[in-house]
Amino acid sequence: MAAPAHPAALGFRLPAEWEPQAAIWVSWPRRRATWPGRFAAIPPAFARLVAAISRFEPVHINAARPLQARARKLCAEAGADLARVTFHDHPTDDAWCRDHGPIFVKHRRSGEVAVTDWRFNAWGGKYHPFDRDDAIPARVARELGLRRFARPMVLEGGSIDTNGRGLLLTTEQCLLNPNRNPSLSRAEIERALREMFGIRRVLWLGEGIVGDDTDGHVDDIARFFRADAIVAAAEPDPRDANHRALRDVWERLRSFRTASGKKFELVPLPMPRGFGFDGRRVPATYANFLVINGAVLVPTFRQPRRDAEACAVLGACFPGREIVPVDCREIIWGLGAIHCLTQQQPA
């Protein structure tokens, strides 16, 4: 049963991604239509992602039992530490665990970890079915024996980013989109975020990047890397389709203030050159990185100069963590990358 009280009132908060983690959760890819015409390359690429994470911490994989034998074989071939990989018989519809998986919160004093369970409607009803994905947070909470806080509001993990100190980044294009919560006002959405995550203030950006079918997820454009610092995608070329939206992102970021009233340290992150498949531009961005224990996994797109530049920028943002490039040239055809595929469980 879902707990009746709000997590924040009970002392829970949403940790920052760079805080200690117990594990990373992923959902094994199975929907061929997500990568039309190119699905064969996806399970091996996904296994390489699992292998990269398993060097640093445990990985939990949601996968219906019939998928598990081949998935385990591919992970082994990719060099994953199978002692750190656990499969769960949790059937899914798609692979984007950041959005359909549990968003974990942690108690400020006791350290208890709990699950927040929001409604998932496949980014505004774009892809059906999605009922098995919507059930994943409850399944994970039951499997781990964790408290579960359910909220009848649509929210995806990729649409938010927190500094762990009461501030949260999101976008108007996504959270205020009528295909998510048409009956909720901005104030009501902010209240839900405060009550579920212990957030004190929401920092609203505008729109996301071209090709993003999630309606502007923030993890494609701007991310906290310290409590008082944000790294954000920048596109200086006025001919590029992302120039206008990212210029607006930067204008808003410059207007934001920390909890103490100071300006944020802002670091520009280059964008890869625009590319696509079958005439459709994909939402390739280096902002879709994943912070794990001791490392940062950075999506790369077979653009050596820009890939290296992005890795260098993120290396400076996260000193002391190994920077691990992960080839996402095939994965991005599904319109997401590393961060979209993963969800961290706090330690």
Side-chain angles (χ1 to χ4, degrees):
M1 295 292 292
H6 301 311
L10 296 174
F12 287 90
R13 69 176 181 94
L14 181 62
E17 193 169 300
W18 56 79
E19 296 184 47
Q21 298 175 4
I24 292 291
W25 284 80
V26 297
S27 295
W28 193 261
R30 58 171 298 277
R31 181 178 275 175
R32 290 178 173 270
T34 300
W35 291 274
R38 291 174 170 81
F39 182 79
I42 300 308
F46 196 88
R48 291 191 290 272
L49 172 60
V50 170
I53 299 169
S54 74
R55 288 180 51 212
F56 300 91
E57 63 184 88
V59 186
H60 292 275
I61 302 178
N62 301 307
R65 196 169 300 281
L67 299 175
Q68 291 184 13
R70 181 167 184 265
R72 186 175 284 105
K73 180 175 183 293
L74 287 172
C75 288
E77 290 172 351
D81 182 351
L82 292 184
R84 285 180 159 180
V85 177
T86 303
F87 285 87
H88 301 267
D89 186 17
H90 296 164
T92 61
D93 298 299
D94 214 334
W96 309 109
C97 195
R98 175 66 50 178
D99 294 342
H100 67 237
I103 303 177
F104 295 94
V105 291
K106 185 174 180 178
H107 199 276
R108 297 176 186 275
R109 294 181 299 280
S110 71
E112 177 191 354
V113 173
V115 162
T116 67
D117 184 356
W118 306 77
R119 284 185 53 224
F120 176 73
N121 74 349
W123 312 281
K126 294 184 178 72
Y127 307 103
H128 293 265
F130 50 79
D131 55 299
R132 287 178 292 191
D133 282 350
D134 191 33
I136 289 296
R139 285 180 172 272
V140 170
R142 187 163 53 248
E143 181 108 347
L144 299 182
L146 300 181
R147 251 200 283 192
R148 179 173 69 96
F149 299 94
R151 187 93 179 198
M153 172 180 141
V154 173
L155 184 78
E156 302 108 31
S159 70
I160 59 172
D161 194 71
T162 184
N163 69 350
R165 302 282 186 86
L167 299 182
L168 182 141
L169 277 171
T170 191
T171 70
E172 295 166 345
Q173 183 187 3
C174 184
L175 263 62
L176 303 184
N177 198 307
N179 65 13
R180 300 306 206 277
N181 300 288
S183 65
L184 297 182
S185 66
R186 181 193 295 247
E188 289 169 326
I189 290 170
E190 289 191 354
R191 183 178 68 189
L193 297 171
R194 289 195 302 269
E195 291 176 347
M196 294 293 280
F197 294 146
I199 296 301
R200 293 192 298 275
R201 185 153 50 96
V202 179
L203 306 177
W204 291 93
L205 297 173
E207 297 181 7
I209 59 175
V210 173
D212 177 10
D213 63 340
T214 68
D215 304 305
H217 272 190
V218 78
D219 66 356
D220 279 342
I221 56 176
R223 308 278 303 280
F224 289 108
F225 66 91
R226 286 198 320 267
D228 61 350
I230 298 169
V231 59
E235 180 49 77
D237 184 354
R239 298 167 298 178
D240 190 278
N242 285 317
H243 174 74
R244 182 192 58 81
L246 294 180
R247 182 183 60 192
D248 179 70
V249 164
W250 274 85
E251 289 175 356
R252 297 198 190 203
L253 289 173
R254 292 187 185 102
S255 73
F256 294 158
R257 296 294 181 267
T258 68
S260 62
K262 297 180 180 179
K263 293 182 178 181
F264 284 93
E265 178 185 341
L266 302 176
V267 174
L269 186 63
M271 286 285 284
R273 289 189 308 276
F275 67 95
F277 299 90
D278 300 341
R280 181 178 183 181
R281 181 163 175 168
V282 293
T285 168
Y286 299 114
N288 207 252
F289 60 85
L290 174 69
V291 185
I292 58 177
N293 295 336
V296 180
L297 274 55
V298 182
T300 57
F301 303 101
R302 303 178 194 170
Q303 299 181 17
R305 184 180 63 80
R306 296 198 186 197
D307 291 350
E309 184 181 351
C311 287
V313 169
L314 291 172
C317 290
F318 294 97
R321 293 181 192 259
E322 182 177 340
I323 300 299
V324 181
V326 177
D327 185 352
C328 289
R329 179 80 183 196
E330 301 289 349
I331 287 173
I332 196 63
W333 177 224
L335 309 183
I338 297 172
H339 201 250
C340 303
L341 291 169
T342 56
Q343 181 62 262
Q344 69 274 2
Q345 177 185 337

